[in-house]
Amino acid sequence: MSTFHSTVSRRNFMKALGLSATGLGAAAAAAPVFHDLDELIASDNAGWQRPWWVKSVDEPSVEIDWSQISRIDQRLTCQSQYVNAQYAGVDEWKRLSAEGSAAKKAFVGTTGNKLRDYALSAGSSSFESPTRVWTHGTLTGPNVSTYENIGLPKWQGTPEENTRMVRAAAKYYGAAQIGTCELATDERKLVFTHPKGEGGWSGGAVGVQGSGANAAYFIDHWPPPNTAGRAIEWVNQDVGYEDEEHIYLPDRPLWDFGVQIPMPHETWSTDNPDGGSQLRGSGNVARYRIWTMSVMPGLLIFLKTLGYHGYGYPYPDKAGGLVPALASAVLGGISEMGRSSEFGLNPEYGSLGGYYSMLTDLPMQPDKPIDAGMFRFCGTCGVCARACPSESISFDKEPSWEIPDFGYKVPQMNMMPGKKLFWTDTHSCQKYNLAHNCRICRPVCTFNVSNGAMVHDIIKGTMSVTSLFNGFFAKMHDVFGYGLKDPDAWWEGDFPMWGTNSLLVGTDGGYKK
């Protein structure tokens, strides 16, 4: 293998950044020296090559106190009408919901909400969850290949080989990245007691979420029966299974791997904090189609063919899994937390990662969490907080262990302690969205920029080793005009497939960045 040597001094590094005069002495101790690029790309982490400035660390950059963490009911999030109704008062929430529905009608036909925008969103949303994915339907039917009927022995590989293999398969099916962690004693606390309402977002036949009739019904009738949100329990068996009221996970060694599916940068940038954008909505929901129709069923069948088992999102839920997907991303080294505690920050794709998770009994090599300086950067930046029209995102300079008192009518029920975060008031966010359909925090994020210019890699490399220039970098976000785009101009653009740049994570076959 050829060796390419590139040695860059601290002084030249800072000169390239344009900061050779001011602050050079302070930054010199922290700025990196690059030696042998072969050393940088040589990896023992099961085939995952990240930029040099993404460091593997023993603990996530967001501090965690496992003693405060226990299993939670995923039905109790601020995506549930019941929770919001308790926080605001049932009558008040019903009034706000009715007013919000009427207000949204005024945005029909406006920029970002024209007929072609609605048509694109409708096409993005036209998908259905596969049939039951564990012990029902196609995944155990006669048409699914297994090692037995193929005539080969069960797959046997090392955890490192297994992780490389699953990572390759996941990317083939449409994922950008996966990160793994063992579901050990502490991590088992992440398994929900109940998944998100299985009727999905539109209040389907047994739904507890969304705006449909049954979702409104459960505002006044809580808790729902297990037929509307099955209880997740551990069982002393080798293979998990399910019935109409329960999801049973095997009390055996399991591994959790998080999956990241990027969302289209340009499409998200068409958001409007006043009236929303069907284009942005399309960019959000498209990842669910890729996960539900390709990545998840592909991986479940892939694992079953090898002789192992995968446990994905319980049927027919499109949006909630068995563990918090963002926790899987942080513990598995895909991303860091951000100032908004509702989404993570990914070194390659910034704020626009869609996160999912799956459990398996295939032994995997755990990935370490990462520190790319992104969570620390959020302490200085605050762009998302300043842009948030409902003032739901914290302006605090430092993260806190304490969950704020948001003034709800009942004690908060949707946030778990044990994490040192910038806490977001998700109820006030949902309340604003009743009439405005805003998701402005993600597209305005400083990390939601094109990575084409070399300077972005230099900036990311700098902030990974020193926070000295974070304030300067945050101001440059506004100076260079990053942020929102004209929805009508989007239709004139020429974007890559699915609106995302797969070359950001391509490292072989001539696609290396």
Side-chain angles (χ1 to χ4, degrees):
M1 182 175 69
S2 64
T3 300
F4 177 75
H5 296 277
S6 176
T7 301
V8 181
S9 70
R10 293 185 177 92
R11 182 171 297 276
N12 287 336
F13 177 84
M14 300 311 293
K15 282 183 178 179
L17 193 62
L19 296 166
S20 56
T22 304
L24 177 59
V33 175
F34 314 119
H35 297 294
D36 192 325
L37 292 185
D38 286 334
E39 293 179 4
L40 291 177
I41 65 171
S43 173
D44 60 355
N45 61 351
W48 196 357
Q49 297 177 14
R50 309 295 291 274
W52 67 265
W53 40 267
V54 180
K55 299 182 289 293
S56 293
V57 293
D58 292 329
E59 300 293 337
S61 54
V62 56
E63 297 181 54
I64 299 174
D65 181 358
W66 287 104
S67 67
Q68 297 187 54
I69 294 177
S70 59
R71 295 180 65 189
I72 61 174
D73 186 340
Q74 199 191 16
R75 298 172 300 181
L76 298 177
T77 75
C78 278
Q79 292 169 334
S80 162
Q81 293 220 42
Y82 168 76
V83 173
N84 287 300
Q86 299 306 302
Y87 286 170
V90 173
D91 291 340
E92 175 68 3
W93 186 254
K94 288 182 176 180
R95 184 187 68 80
L96 291 170
S97 297
E99 290 182 354
S101 296
K104 284 181 178 177
K105 294 180 180 179
F107 298 114
V108 175
T110 61
T111 299
N113 297 284
K114 297 178 181 177
L115 182 58
R116 62 182 178 181
D117 305 317
Y118 276 96
L120 188 74
S121 181
S124 296
S125 306
S126 296
F127 63 95
E128 297 294 334
S129 287
T131 54
R132 291 189 182 276
V133 293
W134 295 3
T135 58
H136 299 263
T138 60
L139 293 189
T140 54
N143 294 325
V144 175
S145 296
T146 65
Y147 67 95
E148 296 103 331
N149 59 37
I150 293 175
L152 292 172
K154 180 178 178 179
W155 170 265
Q156 300 293 335
T158 67
E160 293 80 6
E161 290 171 335
N162 295 342
T163 302
R164 292 179 194 271
M165 176 179 65
V166 172
R167 178 166 285 127
K171 295 180 75 170
Y172 178 79
Y173 293 134
Q177 298 166 323
I178 73 164
T180 62
C181 68
E182 186 176 0
L183 205 67
T185 302
D186 282 336
E187 288 78 7
R188 285 196 174 197
K189 298 177 183 178
L190 298 175
V191 176
F192 296 121
T193 62
H194 297 76
K196 192 176 289 184
E198 293 183 304
W201 299 98
S202 60
V206 292
V208 298
Q209 307 294 339
S211 57
N214 283 296
Y217 172 82
F218 284 120
I219 289 178
D220 302 299
H221 300 78
W222 195 270
N226 277 351
T227 52
R230 290 173 287 166
I232 304 174
E233 299 180 6
W234 295 97
V235 62
N236 185 24
Q237 295 197 27
D238 291 334
V239 182
Y241 62 100
E242 58 186 1
D243 59 30
E244 293 303 315
E245 296 192 17
H246 301 87
I247 293 168
Y248 296 103
L249 290 176
D251 191 7
R252 298 289 187 270
L254 293 175
W255 285 261
D256 171 22
F257 61 91
V259 176
Q260 196 265 114
I261 298 175
M263 295 183 284
H265 161 85
E266 296 291 344
T267 308
W268 263 85
S269 294
T270 66
D271 201 18
N272 179 342
D274 295 324
S277 164
Q278 294 297 313
L279 289 176
R280 188 272 304 155
S282 171
N284 179 41
V285 77
R287 58 186 166 122
Y288 291 101
R289 184 181 67 252
I290 297 170
W291 166 250
T292 306
M293 300 302 293
S294 181
V295 179
M296 182 176 70
L299 287 173
L300 289 169
I301 295 174
F302 178 76
L303 291 166
K304 187 173 182 63
T305 302
L306 295 172
Y308 296 87
H309 305 87
Y311 305 101
Y313 282 30
Y315 173 86
D317 192 6
K318 301 181 182 73
L322 300 170
V323 299
L326 189 50
S328 298
V330 171
L331 295 175
I334 296 176
S335 297
E336 293 185 67
M337 289 298 298
R339 173 173 288 276
S340 171
S341 56
E342 289 299 288
F343 60 83
L345 296 175
N346 179 262
E348 289 84 6
Y349 289 101
S351 59
L352 296 181
Y355 300 105
Y356 304 89
S357 60
M358 186 180 292
L359 307 183
T360 183
D361 55 7
L362 175 71
M364 308 273 279
Q365 179 198 33
D367 293 301
K368 284 189 173 184
I370 61 169
D371 183 352
M374 305 179 84
F375 188 60
R376 289 191 301 276
F377 185 88
C378 287
T380 302
C381 180
V383 166
C384 61
R386 294 193 298 273
C388 178
S390 60
E391 299 182 352
S392 302
I393 301 174
S394 168
F395 282 94
D396 293 344
K397 294 297 183 182
E398 297 289 339
S400 172
W401 291 105
E402 299 297 323
I403 300 175
D405 179 2
F406 292 117
Y408 302 151
K409 291 184 178 295
V410 299
Q412 77 85 20
M413 64 185 80
N414 69 300
M415 301 179 191
M416 172 61 62
K419 299 156 289 187
K420 195 173 182 181
L421 297 176
F422 299 101
W423 297 92
T424 296
D425 184 351
T426 50
H427 168 64
S428 67
C429 173
Q430 291 291 330
K431 185 161 59 176
Y432 183 82
N433 280 328
L434 288 174
H436 300 280
N437 198 25
C438 165
R439 296 292 187 276
I440 201 70
C441 49
R442 289 202 188 201
V444 302
C445 175
T446 305
F447 294 107
N448 183 31
V449 297
S450 170
N451 290 279
M454 183 181 69
V455 68
H456 292 298
D457 279 341
I458 296 175
I459 290 172
K460 290 177 180 179
T462 302
M463 73 179 204
S464 73
V465 293
T466 177
S467 59
L468 182 62
F469 305 105
N470 283 356
F472 169 75
F473 293 151
K475 290 179 181 178
M476 289 300 99
H477 174 270
D478 296 329
V479 171
F480 283 98
Y482 296 127
L484 304 183
K485 309 295 182 183
D486 179 7
D488 285 338
W490 181 90
W491 289 97
E492 307 302 323
D494 185 13
F495 308 119
M497 183 176 64
W498 291 338
T500 62
N501 182 6
S502 63
L503 301 189
L504 292 176
V505 291
T507 58
D508 204 353
Y511 293 104
K512 190 171 182 179
K513 186 185 174 188

